[in-house]
Structures are given as C-alpha cells and as structure tokens.
Amino acid sequence: MSAGLLVAVLLASALLEGSGWAGGVGDGNLRLSVTVNGRADSDVRPPEVRVGTWVVKRYRLLNVSEADLHRVRVLDPGAPAGSVRCPAVLPAAEEAECTARFRAVAGRHVHPVRAEGDVPALRTRLTATARAGYAGVAGALGLTEEVVVATPGTGGGGASATVTYTVTNRGNLPLYTVRVEDPGLALAPGAPDCGGQGGTVAVLAPDTSAFCRTTVRLRPGTYRSTGRASGSDRATTLGTGGERVTAPVLTAGASAVFVVREAPVAPARRTPAPGAPAAGSSAGAAGASAGAGAVPAPGAPGALARTDTGTGTGTDAAGRPAAPAAPGAGAAPGAVPPGAVPPGAVPPSSVSPGAVPPAPPPGLRRAGVDDEGFLGRVRRRGREAAEFGVATTLLLLLIPAAVAAALLGSRRK
C-alpha cells in the first residue's frame, strides 16, 4: 500500500469514528413539520382548542443527511418549558417524532419552531424551522349576587327582599342565551328581570356584564339565595386527535344568606270610657298613694309573708316570728288609726295647714313614753326646755317679788 493511500484511509477512519457516515452533511439535510391536534396547517389555520383542555403537538424530524444527529431537540415558544420530548439520536436517512402535551390557555399562540441536531465528528449542527400553534377559545361565565332587604313596616308581617344577579363573560367568545335562576328562593321560570327579557340575557359579549333583578315578599326568617347561570359560546373545537368537540353548557353559581326581621307591632289606642279619669291622672294617683306609706304586696321585694294567728303577730315565709305591724299600716293616706292619738291630744288631720296645734298638758306628753329609752328622753327634754324656757324666766322673776311682798305684809301687821 502506498503512503498516499494509507493517509487517506486513516483520515476517513478518523472522520467516521463514532459518528457514522458523514458524507452529504449540510444545510437542508434536516426537515421539520408540525401538527397541532391533528391539523398540519396550523401556521395559517390554528385549530381552536377549548381553554383548559389538552393541546398535543407532534414534531416530525427527517434526517436526510449521511450522518447521525445527536442531542436532538425542539425549541417551541408556544409550549411550556420542558414539555417537548425528543429521542437522543436521529440516525442518518431516518425520521423521528418529538411530542409536547399541555393545557390550552386563552389566546392565539402561533410561533416559529426550531429543531436542532449535532454531528460531533464534523463539529456541525443541523437545524430546521417551521411555524405552528393553536387558538385557545372559551366563553367563561361568572355570577355574583347581592341582596337588599327592605325595612319592615308596622302592623306585623314580613318584608320584601331585592336580589341582584350580575352575570359576567370572562372569556374571549360571546355567550348566548344566558339564563338566570334561583332554586333557593323557588323563583318561577323567567322571574328575574334581565332588561325586559325575562330571566335570559340574549347575547353577552366578552369582558361584559349584565344585571338581572327580582323582588320577593318573604315572612320573617333566615333565607339562602342560590343563584344559577347557564349559557353557551356555541364554539366547536378540536380534540387531541383532531376530532370535533361540540360546545358544552357553561354554568356558574353564587349564593347569599340574608335575614328578614319581624315587623314592629303598632301599639293599640285606648279610648277612655265617659267620666273615667285619664290614664295619666290615675297613674299619678296610684304613684302618690304608693309613696304615702303603702304596704308592699305579698311576694314583692321587701314584702313580708304573714299568716294571722289571732294574737296580733305573725310569721314570715321561713316560719320566724314577724315584727308587729306599725300603727297605721294599711290605712288610707292621712287617716289616723284608732289608738294612735292619746286622750286629749289633737289629731294631725284636724289641724289646718299653717296652724300650730296647742301643746298638750305635761302629763299627757309623758304618757306612753316610759319605754322610749335614754336617747329618747334626752331629745324630749331638749324640746321641753325650749318650750318652757319663757315660763322658767318669769318664775325666776316673780318668785322673789312674791317673797318680798309677803315679808312686807307681815311687818305691817
């Protein structure tokens, strides 16, 4: 073997080692096509996929070069990071498939896709590009509600409650025939007023809201409103295998708990009988008599439960001897009970207002006070000293004069 031939063989071995046949490697030797949910022309007609359902992308790679491709990968901005799976090696003159599976999000997502593979022996990288994507669509229905209870009027009964239902289209497709109901309040079909259309909103555009209201008369109690809304965007979408999927019925719910209170009852008017005293005057008279020494009724706070024994004393509720009743207890205001005025004394009721009754004789004043005690005697003696102060002064002046007159009379004899 000549030296030139040997060099050629060694060079070819070095180029082919670990990388396969490297002939015919260059631009255009790697080709890429993408299908999205079965549609191959997603670059110009992106398939409509319902938001929240699965998107399946299939990336078909064809290696038409004469070298194996290593570290095969697909870069797709329209797929979540890490969602694309590819084989590690794509042999020469063969094809392989990379796949991605993820949930659809709202909006149009069409982006350029790039596939790559390395030829380590030649220190080169083959690439291919394509455009692909999908359109995430859906009408998203939302519902809230608010309850306002009117103030109950007088006369008993319940009150009216006004419920406002707010339906909102949070999606990117119009909603049609949105119906509002409330099983919790047992409303009749079409009871909520949705702008003069019964209980239905004909068309609800994306990012808009509509209001439905109803007023019900309820008895006192606690209630729970359970609003329900339903509608459809009427959009047919594609499934993961390219099958057609009809639009579902979209629903939303809301609830609110509220209380209807008892209405106050108006006080009844009383018409006094002819000649009867007014209510205010009779109440005042009753209060005056109660404050003029009336005895508490049995069972009232401070009242003494008495049981007559025939001896003028009694027992309380516990069976203990009760103190004798005070003189005049139970008598009418201003009346003097028998035996309360000593003989010869003037009853208080016989003295006109402003007049001073005459002082009773000393003997009568001392009657019945032998048991008044030491302090009682001191107070009584003080009063007597004030009453007889003038008389004592006259006696002190007249006694010496009488003595002198007696002495002068005896000398003349």
Side-chain angles (χ1 to χ4, degrees), residues 115-132:
E116 297 179 349
D118 297 334
V119 181
L122 299 178
R123 297 183 181 181
T124 187
R125 176 176 296 171
L126 300 185
T127 62
T129 59
R131 286 182 61 86

Side-chain angles (χ1 to χ4, degrees), residues 152-176:
T154 58
S160 61
T162 300
V163 187
T164 301
Y165 309 91
T166 303
V167 288
T168 304
N169 183 357
R170 300 171 181 169
N172 55 7
L173 292 178
L175 296 177
Y176 301 92

Side-chain angles (χ1 to χ4, degrees), residues 31 33 60-64 87 89-97:
R31 298 172 185 176
S33 61
R60 181 171 176 270
L61 284 72
L62 177 60
N63 182 8
V64 296
V89 178
L90 176 56
E94 293 189 12
E95 65 178 23
E97 185 178 86

Side-chain angles (χ1 to χ4, degrees), residues 343-366:
V346 180
S349 60
S350 64
V351 181
S352 60
V356 179
L364 293 180
R365 292 180 64 87
R366 290 191 297 268

Side-chain angles (χ1 to χ4, degrees), residues 143-250:
L143 177 67
T144 60
E145 63 176 81
E146 181 182 4
V147 182
V148 177
V149 181
T151 303
T154 58
S160 61
T162 300
V163 187
T164 301
Y165 309 91
T166 303
V167 288
T168 304
N169 183 357
R170 300 171 181 169
N172 55 7
L173 292 178
L175 296 177
Y176 301 92
T177 317
V178 179
R179 183 176 300 275
V180 178
E181 301 172 320
D182 195 334
L185 298 181
L187 300 181
D193 181 11
C194 302
Q197 303 178 17
T200 303
V201 179
V203 181
L204 189 60
D207 297 325
T208 60
S209 298
F211 303 95
C212 301
R213 292 183 178 87
T214 185
T215 300
V216 291
R217 183 79 181 180
L218 299 172
R219 299 179 61 82
T222 301
Y223 296 88
R224 182 182 183 88
S225 170
T226 55
R228 294 290 181 269
S230 60
S232 173
D233 55 20
R234 300 178 181 176
T236 300
T237 56
L238 292 184
T240 57
E243 68 277 11
R244 298 176 64 85
V245 180
T246 58
V249 176
L250 306 176

Side-chain angles (χ1 to χ4, degrees), residues 242-304:
E243 68 277 11
R244 298 176 64 85
V245 180
T246 58
V249 176
L250 306 176
T251 60
S255 64
V257 177
F258 60 96
V259 177
V260 176
R261 302 193 181 279
E262 184 75 37
V265 179
R269 291 180 172 271
R270 293 186 177 182
T271 303
S281 61
S282 62
S289 62
V295 179
L304 183 66

Side-chain angles (χ1 to χ4, degrees), residues 301-312:
L304 183 66
R306 299 181 59 85
T307 303
D308 293 336
T309 59
T311 60

Side-chain angles (χ1 to χ4, degrees), residues 24-50:
V25 176
D27 294 338
N29 291 150
L30 180 63
R31 298 172 185 176
L32 171 66
S33 61
V34 184
T35 60
V36 181
N37 282 25
R39 179 167 291 180
D41 57 348
S42 63
D43 56 334
V44 293
R45 285 195 315 134
E48 292 185 341
V49 182
R50 186 161 299 276

